[in-house]
Amino acid sequence: MTFRRHAGMARSRASFRGSAGHAEAFQALVQNSSDVITVCDAGGRIRFQTPSVTRVFGYTEGVLVGTDLSLLVHPDDLRPVQKALLRAAAEPDATDRLECRVRHADGSWRYTETAVSARLDDPLVDGFILNTRDVTERKLLEEELAHQAFHDSLTGLANRALFRDRIEHALHRQRRQRRPLAVLLFDLDAFKNVNDSLGHGFGDRLLAAVADRVRGLLRPADTASRLGGDEFAVLLEDLVGPADATYVADRVLRAMRAPFVVDGKEVVTNASLGIAIADGETVVTADDILRNADVAMYTAKGRGRGRAELFKPSMHRAMLDRIDLEGDLRRAVARQEFVLHYQPTVALATGRISGMEALVRWNSPERGLVPPVMFIGVAEDTGLIGPLGEWVLEEACRQTVQWKHQFGQDAPETISVNVSARQLQDDGLVAAFARILAETGANPGNVILEITETAVMSDAEAMAARLHELKTLGVRLAIDDFGTGYSSMSYLCSFPIDILKIDRSFVSGVPNEPQKVGIVRTIVELGHILHLETVAEGIELDEELEQLRALDCDLGQGFRFARPLAAADVETLLVDQAAARRRGELTVFAPAAS
C-alpha cells in the first residue's frame, strides 16, 4: 500500500528524526496510552507501535514494525483506510476518523475506531500517526440490537418491519427486471388449541420448529418471516410465473402436515396459506401485496382450512363484506338482535314431542333474518361465540321453563343447545352455564348440550376434562353428527356422553341403500349397548321414518315432523298435541301407517 506525497514533504523514512530528548519525550507520551498508537511512514509501513498492541491485538511488542498496514486491515475496509491516509496527507492540520477491522494475532477480526493524522513535515514522525481503539464489543452489541430490531427473537426470522422493507426493495428491482415476485402468508390452523392445552412455552417451541422447517424449504435468496403469533410469510423473487409460487406453497403445506416432535411429544398441525403475486404490470406496494396475501389466506380458511388460495380481486370485495359482517355482528351481540327457532325432537315409537332443539337466527334490521350458516363461523373466529352462546342457552332455558308452566305434561321434556369447539375451550364456560341454570330455574337434567365429534377430538384429553366439568352441572351431553368424524369407541367409553345423534347423511335414503341401513343399525345397537339414546337427524320421508322405527332408533328430527319454528308456532303445536292427547289420539306426529 503506497501513498503519493506532496512535493516538499519528502523526508527520510529510516527512523524517527530529532534529538534524543525529543524522542524520549515522544516515547513517554505514547508508552502509557491505553489505545494503540501506530506510526507508519508515507508508504504505509509500520515504524513504531505502543506496547498496548500486545493487550489490544495480541502481538508481541515490536513484531509488526516493518509490516505494511494493508496486511492487517480487512480487505473490505482497505480502500476507506487508504482514502483516510490520503485525506490526512492533504490536510496536515486535520484529524480523520474511520472505522475498520484489524486482524488480531489469533486470526480473528477486531472492530476498531482510528484517528488518523499526518506528520509528514515533523522530523520526529515523518509519517502518519494512527490512534486505534478496539470497539468490538460495542460494535457487536450494536449489530445485535440492529438484528433484534429487524428479526423475530423466537425464530430468528425477519420480523414484519424487515419483511416489509425486503418486499419494497424487491418491488423496486422488479421494475427493472420485469419478473414476477410472490408473497406466501400462512398460519397454523387451531394453534390456539396447542397453547391452551400444552402451554405457551410448548407453543413457542413449536413455532421455532415451524420456522426451521420453512427455512429448509427455501432458496438462499428467499426471505422467510414471522409476522407475529403463528403467522408466517415468505417472499419469493425472480419467479418464472405463478406456478412457481403455487409449487412452493404446496411444499410448505406438505411440510406443515408432517408431524412435529416437540419436547418428545408428537404434534400434528396444519396450515392455511394465501398467495399474492406482483407481476410488474400494475404498481403495488408492500402493504398491497401483504394485504392481498392475507385476504387469500382467510379465503383458504373459509374454504375448509389446510389449503392454499391464490389472491383474486373478488376476494378483496368478499373480505370487505366480511369486515362489514363482523362489525354488524358485534353490534348485534351487544344489542341482542337474535331470536331462537325450535325444531321438535320426536319419539319415533309414539310420535310424541320429546324435546326441542334451539337454533339461533340473527334478526338484523339491515340484513333481515340471517341463518346461522352465515354468521356462526364469523362469531367463532372473532370470539363472539362466547357471549352469543351464553345468550342462546339463557333464552332457551327461559323458554323451556315458560312452556313447562304453560303446558305441564304436554311441554317438551328437553331443550337442546349447540356448543361449539371454541366455547368448550373457554375456561369460564362451566361457571357461565352454572349461573344461567341457576338464574333461569331450568332443570339441568332437561338441558342437552350438543357437541360435534370434531370438537371433542380436537384435544381429547382436555375436552374429556371439560365435559366432565359440564356433567357436574347435571346437564346431558349429546354427540352431534355422529358418524361423520372420528366415531371412536374409546371416546364413547371415556367421555360422559348420553345421546348419539345420527348424521342426516346416513338417514337420507336409508330405506333404499343397504349400506346406510347397516351403518344406522350399528350405531343404534352401539347406543343400546352403551345405554345411550339415539336420535336420527334429517328425517323427511315416511319410508325413512318406518325404517328407523324398524331399526329401533329412539328419537328423530326432520322436516317429516316440522321445520324449525318460531316460539309462537311451537306453542300452537303444543296446543294441538294436548288436544290430540285429550281425544285419546297418539299425537300430531303419529307414526306413518304400516
Side-chain angles (χ1 to χ4, degrees):
M1 178 172 72
T2 60
F3 304 93
R4 183 174 299 171
R5 300 179 60 188
H6 291 246
M9 289 185 179
R11 293 281 185 249
S12 170
R13 301 169 182 170
S15 62
F16 289 124
R17 298 283 183 86
S19 68
H22 288 158
E24 289 174 1
F26 178 81
Q27 297 229 14
L29 174 67
V30 301
Q31 193 76 14
N32 298 315
S33 173
S34 60
D35 296 341
V36 177
I37 298 177
T38 301
V39 178
C40 63
D41 64 19
R45 286 185 297 275
I46 296 173
R47 297 173 57 209
F48 170 80
Q49 281 185 313
T50 53
S52 54
V53 71
T54 302
R55 175 177 52 79
V56 177
F57 293 115
Y59 295 102
T60 302
E61 183 181 355
V63 74
L64 295 178
V65 171
T67 302
D68 196 294
L69 283 177
S70 63
L71 299 178
L72 298 174
V73 176
H74 193 285
D76 292 344
D77 299 336
L78 191 55
R79 184 171 295 275
V81 172
Q82 291 172 340
K83 289 182 177 179
L85 292 173
L86 288 172
R87 284 193 301 271
E91 301 180 33
D93 295 331
T95 298
D96 204 63
R97 298 182 183 278
L98 76 153
E99 289 187 356
C100 66
R101 284 162 287 181
V102 173
R103 187 189 302 277
H104 192 277
D106 63 10
S108 65
W109 294 103
R110 309 293 291 179
Y111 289 93
T112 69
E113 280 184 352
T114 298
V116 181
S117 58
R119 295 292 184 269
L120 297 168
D121 292 327
D122 185 339
L124 180 64
V125 179
D126 189 26
F128 298 94
I129 298 177
L130 286 69
N131 194 326
T132 302
R133 175 175 300 172
D134 184 352
V135 294
T136 302
E137 289 187 7
R138 191 196 75 193
K139 195 70 176 178
L140 293 177
L141 177 60
E142 290 173 354
E143 291 180 352
E144 176 63 22
L145 292 175
H147 185 275
Q148 292 176 7
F150 293 106
H151 290 80
D152 173 54
S153 60
L154 176 64
T155 64
L157 299 180
N159 64 13
R160 182 180 289 272
L162 178 58
F163 190 69
R164 185 183 178 282
D165 183 68
R166 293 275 176 88
I167 296 173
E168 289 288 9
H169 282 87
L171 290 170
H172 182 73
R173 288 189 294 273
Q174 185 193 52
R175 296 184 188 109
R176 301 191 307 270
Q177 300 169 355
R178 312 296 292 178
R179 292 175 69 87
L181 64 86
V183 168
L184 315 182
L185 194 150
F186 71 92
D187 69 9
L188 304 181
D189 296 332
F191 178 70
K192 184 177 184 298
N193 293 348
V194 174
N195 275 341
D196 290 346
S197 58
L198 300 173
H200 287 270
F202 186 95
D204 285 348
R205 290 187 286 278
L206 173 60
L207 293 176
V210 168
D212 288 341
R213 193 169 288 184
V214 171
R215 261 190 292 258
L217 299 174
L218 303 180
R219 304 169 300 178
D222 299 329
T223 301
S225 170
R226 180 183 176 221
L227 302 183
D230 64 320
E231 192 171 68
F232 294 83
V234 175
L235 170 62
L236 306 173
E237 296 188 66
D238 296 326
L239 303 179
V240 175
D244 290 350
T246 56
Y247 171 74
V248 177
D250 289 341
R251 291 186 65 198
V252 170
L253 291 181
R254 287 197 301 271
M256 293 304 104
R257 293 186 191 113
F260 289 89
V261 178
V262 179
D263 297 347
K265 183 179 182 65
E266 187 175 280
V267 181
V268 178
T269 185
N270 213 339
S272 297
L273 187 149
I275 307 168
I277 293 178
D279 56 12
E281 297 300 321
T282 57
V283 177
V284 295
T285 66
D287 291 336
D288 292 334
I289 197 168
L290 279 168
R291 181 203 65 199
N292 292 347
D294 191 52
V295 168
M297 182 185 73
Y298 277 97
T299 301
K301 288 183 176 295
R303 293 178 179 175
R305 302 178 184 268
R307 56 185 292 158
E309 290 290 340
L310 180 63
F311 174 79
K312 300 178 182 65
S314 59
M315 291 179 181
H316 188 229
R317 179 68 258 172
M319 181 59 70
L320 292 177
D321 290 342
R322 179 187 169 91
I323 292 171
D324 288 342
L325 180 64
E326 287 183 12
D328 289 350
L329 189 58
R330 289 186 186 279
R331 287 186 290 273
V333 171
R335 299 169 183 170
Q336 296 188 349
E337 295 176 356
F338 299 94
V339 295
L340 292 185
H341 284 188
Y342 301 88
Q343 187 169 31
T345 301
V346 175
L348 298 187
T350 64
R352 178 178 173 78
I353 295 173
S354 171
M356 291 286 170
E357 180 178 359
L359 303 168
V360 66
R361 305 287 189 265
W362 175 12
N363 191 16
S364 169
E366 296 82 17
R367 300 170 183 268
L369 197 63
V370 184
V373 69
M374 299 296 293
F375 66 88
I376 289 297
V378 177
E380 290 182 332
D381 291 342
T382 57
L384 294 171
I385 194 66
L388 176 58
E390 290 178 20
W391 179 88
V392 170
L393 179 62
E394 184 171 354
E395 183 65 19
C397 287
R398 290 190 190 282
Q399 185 62 76
T400 196
V401 168
Q402 178 183 323
W403 284 335
K404 190 65 178 175
H405 291 157
Q406 185 175 353
F407 294 100
Q409 63 178 337
D410 292 303
E413 294 177 8
T414 62
I415 188 72
S416 300
V417 173
N418 292 282
V419 180
S420 76
R422 288 292 297 271
Q423 286 178 273
L424 289 172
Q425 294 161 10
D426 185 352
D427 291 337
L429 177 74
V430 177
F433 280 12
R435 174 185 57 78
I436 290 169
L437 291 170
E439 289 179 355
T440 60
N443 182 347
N446 295 337
V447 176
I448 300 172
L449 304 180
E450 297 190 5
I451 303 148
T452 64
E453 285 182 284
T454 305
V456 296
M457 293 305 293
S458 60
D459 183 353
E461 185 176 343
M463 287 302 101
R466 182 54 44 82
L467 296 183
H468 281 287
E469 287 182 77
L470 288 171
K471 282 297 289 183
T472 63
L473 302 179
V475 299
R476 302 171 69 196
L477 301 178
I479 293 295
D480 199 9
D481 302 331
F482 184 79
T484 59
Y486 296 85
S487 304
S488 168
M489 282 289 292
S490 62
Y491 88 71
L492 288 180
C493 294
S494 60
F495 291 175
I497 304 301
D498 302 289
I499 301 164
L500 298 180
K501 297 192 72 174
I502 305 168
D503 187 73
R504 69 185 64 197
S505 61
F506 302 120
V507 172
S508 177
V510 69
N512 305 314
E513 299 184 41
Q515 186 178 25
K516 288 185 177 180
V517 172
I519 292 172
V520 174
R521 177 183 290 113
T522 299
I523 295 173
V524 171
E525 290 177 353
L526 178 63
H528 290 165
I529 291 170
L530 298 176
H531 306 290
L532 306 176
E533 276 191 323
T534 52
V535 182
E537 299 182 280
I539 303 172
E540 296 188 2
L541 305 174
D542 283 351
E543 50 266 37
E544 292 169 352
L545 172 58
E546 283 303 302
Q547 182 70 73
L548 290 161
R549 289 181 63 217
L551 293 173
D552 205 19
C553 184
D554 301 312
L555 306 167
Q557 281 181 287
F559 293 171
R560 164 61 177 79
F561 307 112
R563 294 175 179 272
L565 304 169
D569 295 326
V570 170
E571 291 171 8
T572 299
L573 194 62
L574 296 176
V575 169
D576 292 344
Q577 177 168 272
R581 180 183 57 79
R582 288 193 295 271
R583 292 193 301 269
E585 300 172 2
L586 289 174
T587 69
V588 292
F589 293 137
S594 302

